Amino acid sequence: QVQLVESGGGLVQPGGSLRLSCAASGSDFSANAMDWYRQVPGKQREWVATISSASSTYYTNSVQGRFTISRDNAKNTGYLQMNSLNAEDTAVYYCHMFAKHDYWGQGTQVTVSS
């Protein structure tokens, strides 16, 4: 059983930065890709970024150049560094891992507002 626990969300002003963390347990973390998704109430969950087991990274267009996904296999933790945040980035952010099954964290709220 894989458990994913996000942290690091909060309220930030436009133009500010946050770093989200996703702590994983119960899996061979280093062997699996990890993703970040986000969801706004009333809308579908949106893919944000992926880091492969080989640390190749992929981003949706709207965050390219502003967000950086990374991982620390020694700590079984993934990260999403978010810079130049704007109101459209406001959402609940979820980390995801596929390890024979889909696993999701509980989500962490990110609110960008002045």
Side-chain angles (χ1 to χ4, degrees):
Q1 184 76 10
V2 175
Q3 290 190 326
L4 302 173
V5 179
E6 300 99 336
S7 61
L11 173 64
V12 63
Q13 291 187 341
S17 299
L18 282 175
R19 188 177 81 155
L20 306 182
S21 299
C22 176
S25 61
S27 73
D28 183 0
F29 179 78
S30 64
N32 297 296
M34 191 197 72
D35 318 282
W36 286 94
Y37 285 75
R38 64 188 180 186
Q39 189 168 24
V40 175
K43 294 190 176 182
Q44 283 192 325
R45 194 167 293 187
E46 172 192 29
W47 171 74
V48 175
T50 294
I51 185 164
S52 73
S53 58
S55 294
S56 296
T57 58
Y58 309 89
Y59 301 92
T60 193
N61 287 344
S62 63
V63 309
Q64 182 77 46
R66 300 188 297 122
F67 291 12
T68 303
I69 190 171
S70 61
R71 64 192 302 156
D72 185 338
N73 291 335
K75 295 182 178 179
N76 281 5
T77 301
Y79 303 97
L80 185 67
Q81 177 68 42
M82 307 185 295
N83 299 329
S84 301
L85 286 161
N86 57 60
E88 287 68 39
D89 297 314
T90 295
V92 178
Y93 284 71
Y94 298 89
C95 63
H96 167 265
M97 181 177 292
F98 180 79
K100 298 184 179 179
H101 302 282
D102 282 306
Y103 294 98
W104 295 91
Q106 83 287 355
T108 185
Q109 175 71 47
V110 172
T111 302
V112 184
S113 176
S114 55

